[in-house]
Amino acid sequence: MKLIWSPETASKAYLDTVKSCEKFRESGVAELLSAMAAGWNAKLIVEAWSYGDPIATSLGLATAARHTCGRHVCIVPDERSRMEYLKAMRNAPIQPEVVVGEAEAATTGVDFLVVDCSRREFARVLRRAKVSPRGAVFACKNAWQRNVSGFRWHGVVERGTRVVRSVFLPVGKGLDIAHIGYGGGTGSIGTIRKGPGRWIKHIDHRSGEEHLFRE
C-alpha cells in the first residue's frame, strides 16, 4: 500500500478551509496543509498544539479529516491547553480527539503529522510518531523559527522509516515537508539517483527554489 494523491479531494478541502479560516491570517498555511492531508486521503491526521497557538491550521486539518472520513487527533501538553483547544474548536467541521501528554498510542499509524517548530518539543513528537504502512507526510510549520541546530529529517524520524523526499516552502514562516516511507531502505534527503553518477538537489530555504547539480 502507498499514499495515493486525489486532486479532487484536495481541492474540496482547500476551498472549505478558505471559507472556515477567512477571518484568520496564516499566510495560506492552513489551506495548504488541509489540501495536502485531504489529497493524500489521510486516515489519521495528528497535530501538536499548545496554549496560545493559532487555531487556523487545526480547523484546516479538521476539514481534511471530514473529507477523508478520517481521525483528527491533537496532542496537547497540559489540561490548560486542552480546555483552550476545545473551546477554540467548538465550531470545527468535526471534533478532534484531544490527548494530553506524550500520547504515543495516538501517534501510531500516522498518515499526516503537523508540528510547530516554534515549540521546544517538536522534534520529540516527530521522533515518536509511528508511520502507517502506507507511509506518511510530516510537516513542520514556522520552520524559520526552528530551535534545533543542524536539523535533518533523517535524524528525527522513527527508526525503520526513511525519508523519500523533502521540500521547503516559503509559506508563512517557513513550511518544511517530508514524505516518509514505511519500512527499511536507504533513502536520503537531497540525493537523486539518475543513471551513472548522481544528482544533488539543493533547496533554497528562502525562495523555495530547487537546484540540481551533477556530481
Side-chain angles (χ1 to χ4, degrees), residues 109-120:
V110 173
D111 290 313
F112 199 88
L113 173 66
V114 179
V115 297
D116 188 338
C117 289
S118 65
R119 294 295 174 180
R120 182 175 51 190

Side-chain angles (χ1 to χ4, degrees), residues 37 42-47 61 64-65 68 71-74 111-112:
K43 297 302 183 183
L44 177 55
I45 300 171
V46 178
E47 65 169 322
L61 296 177
T68 66
R71 294 171 59 205
H72 175 203
V73 178
C74 180
D111 290 313
F112 199 88

Side-chain angles (χ1 to χ4, degrees), residues 40-207:
W40 288 118
N41 194 30
K43 297 302 183 183
L44 177 55
I45 300 171
V46 178
E47 65 169 322
W49 191 89
S50 296
Y51 183 87
D53 285 351
I55 204 66
T57 294
S58 301
L59 291 171
L61 296 177
T63 299
R66 180 171 65 83
H67 281 281
T68 66
C69 298
R71 294 171 59 205
H72 175 203
V73 178
C74 180
I75 302 171
V76 297
D78 49 43
E79 188 63 21
R80 181 191 186 197
S81 295
R82 187 185 76 85
M83 296 299 293
E84 182 65 19
Y85 183 84
L86 289 173
K87 179 181 178 181
M89 292 290 285
R90 62 183 179 275
N91 294 322
I94 66 170
Q95 288 303 304
E97 303 170 37
V98 184
V99 182
V100 178
E102 298 295 343
E104 290 190 32
T107 58
T108 299
V110 173
D111 290 313
F112 199 88
L113 173 66
V114 179
V115 297
D116 188 338
C117 289
S118 65
R119 294 295 174 180
R120 182 175 51 190
E121 72 283 357
F122 85 91
R124 186 171 69 249
V125 176
L126 292 172
R127 188 173 294 111
R128 295 190 175 185
K130 300 186 182 302
V131 176
S132 81
R134 301 192 306 154
V137 174
F138 287 2
C140 294
K141 67 177 189 175
N142 295 322
W144 282 327
Q145 298 179 336
R146 201 149 40 197
N147 55 14
V148 175
S149 61
F151 176 87
R152 295 290 183 274
W153 276 109
H154 66 269
V156 295
V157 296
E158 179 193 13
R159 180 171 297 183
T161 60
R162 58 193 175 90
V163 179
V164 178
R165 64 181 64 89
S166 65
V167 63
F168 194 104
L169 302 175
V171 180
K173 295 180 180 178
L175 193 58
D176 202 351
I177 301 171
H179 177 196
I180 310 298
Y182 180 83
T186 56
S188 59
I189 299 176
T191 301
I192 301 175
R193 296 209 172 273
K194 189 175 182 181
R198 64 175 181 171
W199 291 81
I200 305 299
K201 179 174 69 175
H202 174 263
I203 299 174
D204 187 321
H205 284 192
R206 290 291 178 181
S207 68

